[in-house]
Amino acid sequence: MHTSSRGTGARPTGTPDFDAAVDPAAVVAFTRDLVRLRTVNAAGATEVERPAAELVARLFTEFGWPFEVTEVAPGRPNTVAVVEGGGGDGPTLMFEGHIDVVTEGDPADWSVDPYGAEIRDGRLWGRGSADMKSGVAAMIHAVRALQLTGPFPGRVVLGVLCDEEGLMLGAKAFAATPLAREVDGVIVCEPEGYEVCTSARGGIRLRLDLDGVMAHGAMPQEAKSPVVAGARVVEALARVQDWAQERYGTHPHAGSVTVTPTVLLGGDPDQLNVIPAHGFVGIDLRTIPGTDHAELIERVRRCAAEAAGTVGVGVGLTVVDDRPSVEIPEDHPVVTALVEGHRHVHGTAPPFGAVPGTTDGTILTRDAGLPTVVYGPGGKWIAHQKDEFVEVHEIVEYTRVYAAAAHAFLTGATGGAR
């Protein structure tokens, strides 16, 4: 051990030398191996995470860590390891990440092979490089570095969960396990551009089914058009957003509530002379801490019904998914430990922020009451875009931050012990 400094901050007394314990080449290579696997969370897919989960399981085996693989759905495994510190009683810290990715879209739109894991200009390119296979690699190698520096109190849970890009089935399944009830704090390793995200916006997905009356395009007086109704509903949703932003205000990190129509369907492109009987509006609502979801949904229901009713069209509202906004105090031990880890590596305290969407942490907090904070390699806004990348140096830096944060939390250096 030593007490040399990096940047402008000195290593706290007793903090191990994680710079030496982290293997930069290994963590970058493991990230590349994960990115090369096309684990796209596509509708109807029966095999998504399995190849990457097998790669993770082989590394857990190599490190001598006990782990369990649980099929949450066919071809959709959770892979969870528990690493005992060997240093006596202490808290349980969890690192969490997912290995499914969204589609790459048309590969021709990319300037690199989406699954080539090419390193160029100091960046590792490919689908999932930021969201979030680099985070998964970093958290695993961080725990390995923590272990190599000697015994530590408590234990670490490594949760590599499935279906984050879908209905978060993996997080829901883990939250229902006995192990989840033993976790004292969770670091979710999603890409957030060096921000420690103590809040995450909630997400509500709604569908509005529009029921009208079919007629000939030349006889609109005989119709009750869901197409016209849909246009009026979309206009009404803008007013709902204005109301919600006035009602719930602006959060210092998470911003304001947004009400975004994402789908508007009605009619048949091959039947331009037919007014259809049915239509559909899809809505993505994003909420902030303090938002009353039931009140907001009811407001959408009422305003949509009024707008569609002006042309005699009925509206049926279905809640497809409802994920709350979540928040953790900045002085919670898992947050202060993460801040300490960042300061250890970078010499300064990190900024606080909010996750613009939802993460598995949202479900872990909602379903299991776990305190979660989000912080990981990659740009905050790069997820799901073409030419996705992560800076190679960030992968190594975050690995070191995670190791130092885990040490701080487990040893109670910042109040992490129970």
Side-chain angles (χ1 to χ4, degrees):
M1 297 181 186
H2 61 277
T3 56
S4 64
S5 63
R6 289 173 55 92
T8 59
R11 175 176 291 115
T13 302
T15 300
D17 184 2
F18 295 116
D19 295 357
V22 168
D23 185 337
V27 67
V28 172
F30 190 65
T31 304
R32 298 183 77 187
D33 289 344
L34 288 172
V35 171
R36 291 187 180 107
L37 299 172
R38 188 178 182 275
T39 54
V40 172
N41 196 334
T46 57
E47 184 114 330
V48 177
E49 293 90 356
R50 189 188 302 281
E54 290 174 349
L55 191 65
V56 168
R58 286 197 293 272
L59 189 58
F60 287 170
T61 300
E62 177 185 330
F63 290 160
W65 297 342
F67 64 92
E68 289 189 2
V69 178
T70 305
E71 288 275 320
V72 173
R76 314 302 302 274
N78 278 353
T79 308
V80 179
V82 178
V83 183
E84 298 287 348
D89 292 339
T92 297
L93 174 67
M94 180 177 183
F95 285 103
E96 191 277 335
H98 66 88
I99 44 177
D100 60 321
V101 298
V102 298
T103 178
E104 71 279 12
D106 186 349
D109 292 336
W110 289 62
S111 64
V112 295
D113 178 351
Y115 300 102
E118 176 183 349
I119 291 180
R120 176 165 46 88
D121 300 327
R123 295 171 171 176
L124 195 165
W125 301 81
R127 174 58 82 228
S129 54
D131 185 19
M132 58 165 294
K133 291 177 174 179
S134 57
V136 169
M139 73 186 198
I140 294 171
H141 279 272
V143 176
R144 181 58 171 168
L146 177 70
Q147 186 181 51
L148 290 174
T149 58
F152 56 87
R155 60 183 176 165
V156 180
V157 175
L158 286 158
V160 182
L161 308 184
C162 68
D163 193 44
E164 193 275 347
E165 301 292 3
L167 294 177
M168 300 185 172
L169 297 177
K172 292 172 183 175
F174 178 81
T177 65
L179 179 58
R181 293 193 290 272
E182 300 173 10
V183 172
D184 297 293
V186 183
I187 297 174
V188 178
C189 305
E190 291 270 13
E192 297 299 341
Y194 292 109
E195 289 184 358
V196 172
C197 290
T198 53
S199 56
R201 299 176 81 200
I204 309 171
R205 296 174 189 171
L206 302 178
R207 62 173 294 151
L208 301 174
D209 289 291
L210 308 174
D211 297 314
V213 175
M214 184 177 180
H216 196 291
M219 307 173 191
Q221 71 278 5
E222 302 298 324
K224 295 180 180 178
S225 173
V227 175
V228 175
R232 295 188 181 182
V233 166
V234 169
E235 289 181 344
L237 292 176
R239 296 190 292 274
V240 172
Q241 178 172 282
D242 291 342
W243 169 85
Q245 292 180 351
E246 175 71 21
R247 175 81 171 86
Y248 300 114
T250 302
H251 186 274
H253 301 306
S256 302
V257 173
T258 55
V259 180
T260 307
T262 53
V263 182
L264 179 58
L265 296 176
D268 184 342
D270 294 326
Q271 295 284 310
L272 298 183
N273 60 336
V274 176
I275 299 170
H278 304 288
F280 165 73
V281 177
I283 314 170
D284 185 320
L285 300 95
R286 298 292 166 161
T287 63
I288 61 175
T291 305
D292 184 328
H293 281 205
E295 180 184 43
L296 180 57
I297 292 169
E298 182 55 33
R299 187 80 177 198
V300 171
R301 185 196 310 274
R302 185 168 70 250
C303 290
E306 290 173 355
T310 61
V311 289
V313 171
V315 179
L317 182 148
T318 301
V319 179
V320 178
D321 201 12
D322 186 350
R323 304 169 183 172
S325 52
V326 296
E327 190 166 30
I328 183 174
E330 292 180 4
D331 62 354
H332 188 282
V334 75
V335 177
T336 57
L338 189 51
V339 169
E340 184 59 46
H342 181 99
R343 184 183 289 112
H344 168 82
V345 172
H346 296 284
T348 58
F352 290 107
V355 181
T358 58
T359 72
D360 281 338
T362 302
I363 303 302
L364 297 177
T365 296
R366 183 193 72 183
D367 292 1
L370 301 183
T372 58
V373 61
V374 185
Y375 172 94
K380 191 179 184 76
W381 309 106
I382 195 66
H384 301 188
Q385 296 186 32
K386 68 178 182 180
D387 286 347
E388 182 182 347
F389 68 89
V390 63
E391 301 286 350
V392 172
H393 71 85
E394 285 189 28
I395 305 174
V396 180
E397 288 173 354
Y398 277 85
T399 305
R400 290 171 173 153
V401 170
Y402 291 154
H407 178 268
F409 184 82
L410 295 167
T411 61
T414 60
R418 282 190 293 187

